């Protein structure tokens, strides 16, 4: 995806297309599996039906703990992304956009943010 201009503290870019699809879908499935496992349509999963049903039935505790850890990690990444963007003179709206995006996409959002400012700061010296 093309980056917006970073003039006036407005540098923002979306993750690459595969991350735009995979990350929210995986987060949605994990959320459903942790909070409402009966919402997962296992009858429509074909040959994976028995495996998915077994995991949902026998490992719900592990799914719930995994969900909690992923939410915690994404939350910390989002806070850091917001802080990092502000530290690099991005305006409040852009910084919050980085934080929200990083909560959803995780490291796929954080790496481009850090890489951009690392390169930009190297050019200054």
């Amino acid at each position: 995806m093309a980056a917006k201009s970073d003039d006036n503290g407005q540098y923002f870019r979306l993750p690459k297309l595969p991350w735009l699809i995979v990350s929210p879908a995986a987060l949605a499935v994990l959320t459903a599996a942790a909070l409402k496992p009966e919402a997962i349509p296992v009858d429509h999963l074909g040959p994976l039906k028995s495996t998915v049903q077994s995991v949902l039935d026998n490992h719900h505790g592990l799914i719930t703990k995994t969900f909690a850890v992923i939410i915690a990690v994404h939350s910390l990444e989002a806070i850091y992304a917001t802080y990092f963007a502000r530290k690099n003179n991005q305006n409040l709206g852009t910084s919050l956009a980085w934080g929200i995006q990083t909560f959803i996409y995780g490291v796929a959002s954080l790496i481009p943010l850090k890489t951009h400012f690392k390169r930009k700061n190297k050019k200054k010296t």
Side-chain angles (χ1 to χ4, degrees), residues 3 21 27 112 119:
I21 298 166
L27 204 52
R119 287 181 186 153

Side-chain angles (χ1 to χ4, degrees), residues 15-27:
K16 295 185 183 211
L17 185 60
W19 287 109
L20 289 174
I21 298 166
V22 172
S23 188
L27 204 52

Side-chain angles (χ1 to χ4, degrees), residues 1-5 10-21 23-24 90 93-94 96-116:
M1 293 272 158
K4 281 188 181 179
S5 169
Q10 295 182 357
Y11 173 76
F12 185 78
R13 86 178 254 195
L14 293 171
K16 295 185 183 211
L17 185 60
W19 287 109
L20 289 174
I21 298 166
S23 188
Q90 298 302 288
T94 303
L96 290 174
W98 276 108
I100 292 166
Q101 176 177 279
T102 301
F103 180 77
I104 296 167
Y105 300 107
V107 74
S109 172
L110 191 56
I111 288 174
L113 172 65
K114 292 197 63 138
T115 302
H116 171 77

Side-chain angles (χ1 to χ4, degrees), residues 17-108:
L17 185 60
W19 287 109
L20 289 174
I21 298 166
V22 172
S23 188
L27 204 52
V29 169
L30 184 59
T31 301
L35 303 178
K36 195 171 181 182
E38 64 274 6
I40 295 180
V42 291
D43 292 334
H44 302 290
L45 296 177
L48 296 175
K49 176 183 176 179
S50 60
T51 304
V52 172
Q53 190 64 59
S54 175
V55 170
L56 290 172
D57 292 342
N58 299 318
H59 302 288
H60 189 260
L62 180 62
I63 292 169
T64 303
K65 288 174 187 164
T66 302
F67 172 73
V69 167
I70 287 175
I71 293 300
V73 168
H74 277 237
S75 296
L76 292 172
E77 287 174 332
I79 291 166
Y80 178 72
T82 304
Y83 162 78
F84 186 81
R86 290 295 286 165
K87 185 176 115 178
N88 283 283
N89 300 318
Q90 298 302 288
N91 65 37
L92 181 60
T94 303
S95 298
L96 290 174
W98 276 108
I100 292 166
Q101 176 177 279
T102 301
F103 180 77
I104 296 167
Y105 300 107
V107 74

